[in-house]
Amino acid sequence: MPPTPSFPRRLLTPALLLLAVILAFLPARMSGYASFIGDKLTFALAPLGHPLSYLGGSIRGQFEPPPPDARALIAQWENAQEAAALIRSLQEEVAQLRLENRLLRNIHEQLGPDAGTYRLPNAHVIARGADPAAAILRLNRGSKDGVIDGIAATDGANLVGRISRAERMTAALKLISAPGTRLDVVLTPQLGTVEQMTAADAPRCQLDVTKDNQFTAMVPVEQNIVVDSFARLVDRDWPPSVQGMIVGRVTSVEPAPDDPLTWKRITVEPRVTLRYLTKVTLMIPRQE
Amino acid sequence: MNWAVFGIFTYVFLVLQTSLTPVLELPTRYGVVGPQFVLLLGVIVGMFAHPRITCIAWAILGLLVDLTSTYALGPTEPSLTLVGPHVLGYLAAAYVMIQLRTMVFKQHPFSTGFAIIVCGVAAELVIVLILSIRGMYDPIAGFSALPQLALRGIGLLYSAVVGVILAVPMLKLTLLFNFPANTTHRPARWGK
């Protein structure tokens, strides 16, 4: 017959169970310790996790259907190749670069005198949540690199999300496509200028995340919105550094099902699948 | 059980679960699902280890999954990492596993897939219950119990399919874990 455990040992299992129950129901403001330990654990997983995450994101990116604008570019490139018109393809490339340049100039102009007050380090995605409800990416930069809660992350001119919790070595990035996100945006042509973004009559709306990587919003029927316009951030809850950044592209404009005479429903999709990004740029304010 | 081998496998499976999802995840109408490699490891340990060791191993796996899961709260609130839901969920799964293993052919990969589904259901019910109760005072953005149960159910089916495939090499590797002799050295019922 096995010996009966001593009195304190018998209490160990129920005590640990009770501890787990208490920890499971602790309010969020008292659960900071778990984020601290999770930071260390994610960092420990990074030597194997980072290459795998990069590999996974890259492989997935190969099989993702290209966005419509890229598809058009591919078609143009094929036509140019068939006609052996190398010059034309080069002109396309120049036009694309001009477009990007103009977008970046707009952002620079938007930042105004603050433009030089930000550092823009790149951060790599090293882990994704192990639970299906965890809509957070873990980045390989933390507070030791100057990352603080609330700063924004971008991918070129596209807005990606913001840091929801910065630990010492890693940071949690909440994507703009996370459930429950609401964003105030202005709708502009693709080559929108700062004046168009800030004009009083510019069409504005509030985007809601409806499903994975997609937003919808209701706008009055009087507003002239065309497919392929860009939705740009104009939200006071976000840092000034990302105002005017591209949230997504309008993919459809249709009458609202409930009240088609007054409202129309627009659908906006980010230009890249945010969940599969392997690298983002952080906009960290410079310390004086 | 050899805890060093368990530690190495836990590290590898946790990395696979947190980093390889972009390749393996599938879109569903409730969201995207990926395979839960950690459940497979728990089932393999649960099939052969001593009941007390099984409970400890599952609790450790639950703790690690908890620490690598960060949830989004409100738009301006910091994100939440929480210890407890997966620990308790996986302990429930360990209990189910201990009951279940006397009824299945341990060395057959399909038993592993079946156990992943049954134990996973126990774990996910507890996890969703805890997160739903927490929702009364700390709501997780976009979290709703029924869609989550549907999403996690699909995820378990997917995990079971992946688990059956991975069980073939994993059952061969159980010798490394140094499980009790009366279970590990039983003649294999599959694969010979």
Side-chain angles (χ1 to χ4, degrees):
Chain A
M1 191 176 157
T4 312
S6 60
F7 180 66
R9 253 190 98 181
R10 265 185 294 157
L11 278 181
L12 187 64
T13 308
L16 287 176
L17 263 177
L18 184 66
L19 179 67
V21 172
I22 292 170
L23 292 178
F25 291 102
L26 271 186
R29 65 177 187 280
M30 296 167 76
S31 300
Y33 73 93
S35 184
F36 175 79
I37 304 169
D39 170 53
K40 309 291 178 261
L41 177 63
T42 311
F43 192 73
L45 297 176
L48 193 55
H50 185 184
L52 266 181
S53 181
Y54 180 77
L55 186 71
S58 305
I59 291 172
R60 189 72 190 218
Q62 297 289 322
F63 293 100
E64 281 289 291
D69 44 356
R71 219 176 283 145
L73 277 179
I74 291 167
Q76 283 176 7
W77 178 79
E78 284 174 350
N79 290 339
Q81 194 183 40
E82 284 169 10
L86 182 61
I87 296 169
R88 202 161 85 188
S89 71
L90 286 172
Q91 282 173 338
E92 290 288 332
E93 198 174 330
V94 169
Q96 186 66 24
L97 286 172
R98 279 188 179 150
L99 168 65
E100 287 291 326
N101 187 32
R102 192 161 169 186
L103 289 171
L104 292 172
R105 274 175 180 274
N106 281 347
I107 293 162
H108 190 265
E109 198 177 329
Q110 180 92 0
L111 288 172
D114 294 338
T117 61
Y118 290 93
R119 284 193 302 121
L120 306 172
N122 287 331
H124 293 270
V125 176
I126 55 173
R128 292 158 174 86
D131 186 83
I136 296 284
L137 302 184
R138 279 268 175 191
L139 305 180
N140 68 339
R141 290 189 186 269
S143 56
K144 70 180 171 51
D145 304 301
V147 178
I148 51 173
D149 289 357
I151 63 167
T154 62
D155 173 46
N158 303 308
L159 182 65
V160 173
R162 71 198 301 183
I163 300 297
S164 57
R165 189 183 283 271
E167 294 295 343
R168 180 161 166 69
M169 286 175 286
T170 64
L173 170 64
K174 184 184 171 192
L175 300 174
I176 53 171
S177 56
T181 307
R182 283 190 162 181
L183 299 170
D184 290 329
V185 296
V186 60
L187 300 163
T188 68
Q190 293 203 355
L191 273 174
T193 60
V194 175
E195 290 73 30
Q196 282 174 310
M197 286 180 225
T198 53
D201 60 343
R204 288 163 193 267
C205 60
Q206 191 174 53
L207 296 179
D208 285 308
V209 176
T210 45
K211 62 178 188 181
D212 186 46
N213 222 42
Q214 194 180 82
F215 303 88
T216 58
M218 295 295 182
V219 291
V221 286
E222 307 84 61
Q223 292 192 340
N224 182 26
I225 296 164
V226 292
V227 173
D228 280 343
S229 319
F230 279 167
R232 295 168 183 277
L233 187 77
V234 280
D235 195 320
R236 284 163 191 253
D237 290 338
W238 284 72
S241 56
V242 287
Q243 302 298 325
M245 285 244 170
I246 300 166
V247 171
R249 191 178 62 87
V250 177
T251 54
S252 74
V253 181
E254 55 197 19
D258 298 335
D259 190 1
L261 296 178
T262 318
W263 299 94
K264 51 189 174 184
R265 185 171 66 184
I266 63 164
T267 307
V268 173
E269 290 180 13
R271 296 202 301 164
V272 289
T273 308
L274 302 174
R275 219 176 41 257
Y276 301 144
L277 285 176
T278 56
K279 191 173 75 172
V280 295
T281 304
L282 299 173
M283 305 195 82
I284 303 175
R286 255 184 227 283
Q287 301 288 329
E288 291 300 329
Chain B
M1 187 174 75
N2 187 333
W3 285 102
V5 173
F6 174 73
I8 293 167
F9 273 92
T10 303
Y11 184 86
V12 172
F13 277 57
L14 198 61
V15 165
L16 289 177
Q17 187 157 324
T18 55
S19 302
L20 210 57
T21 37
V23 184
L24 297 173
E25 69 184 13
L26 294 177
T28 70
R29 62 178 294 190
Y30 302 104
V32 289
V33 290
Q36 297 193 41
F37 293 98
V38 174
L39 267 184
L40 168 66
L41 181 60
V43 164
I44 293 289
V45 171
M47 284 279 192
F48 300 103
H50 186 275
R52 194 165 60 89
I53 300 293
T54 300
C55 289
I56 295 171
W58 276 86
I60 291 171
L61 294 175
L63 178 67
L64 294 173
V65 173
D66 269 335
L67 290 172
T68 49
S69 300
T70 308
Y71 304 95
L73 297 178
T76 54
E77 292 172 61
S79 52
L80 170 69
T81 308
L82 192 65
V83 169
H86 285 87
V87 174
L88 294 170
Y90 279 28
L91 279 174
Y95 177 77
V96 172
M97 185 71 236
I98 291 165
Q99 307 302 315
L100 184 73
R101 65 183 182 176
T102 56
M103 306 175 209
V104 294
F105 297 115
K106 294 178 182 177
Q107 300 274 2
H108 200 293
F110 282 118
S111 301
T112 310
F114 177 67
I116 286 175
I117 294 175
V118 176
C119 296
V121 166
E124 300 293 8
L125 280 174
V126 173
I127 293 163
V128 172
L129 177 70
I130 292 172
L131 294 179
S132 300
I133 294 172
R134 283 190 60 88
M136 293 176 196
Y137 54 91
D138 271 338
I140 292 170
F143 186 91
S144 180
L146 284 179
Q148 276 295 317
L149 283 175
L151 177 70
R152 287 160 193 264
I154 297 166
L156 285 177
L157 291 177
Y158 185 24
S159 303
V161 173
V162 175
V164 168
I165 297 165
L166 284 181
V168 177
M170 281 302 291
L171 287 171
K172 303 275 182 201
L173 293 173
T174 48
L175 284 174
L176 297 174
F177 283 86
N178 200 19
F179 289 126
N182 60 340
T183 52
T184 314
H185 294 167
R186 190 177 288 174
R189 292 175 188 269
W190 186 90
K192 289 199 172 179

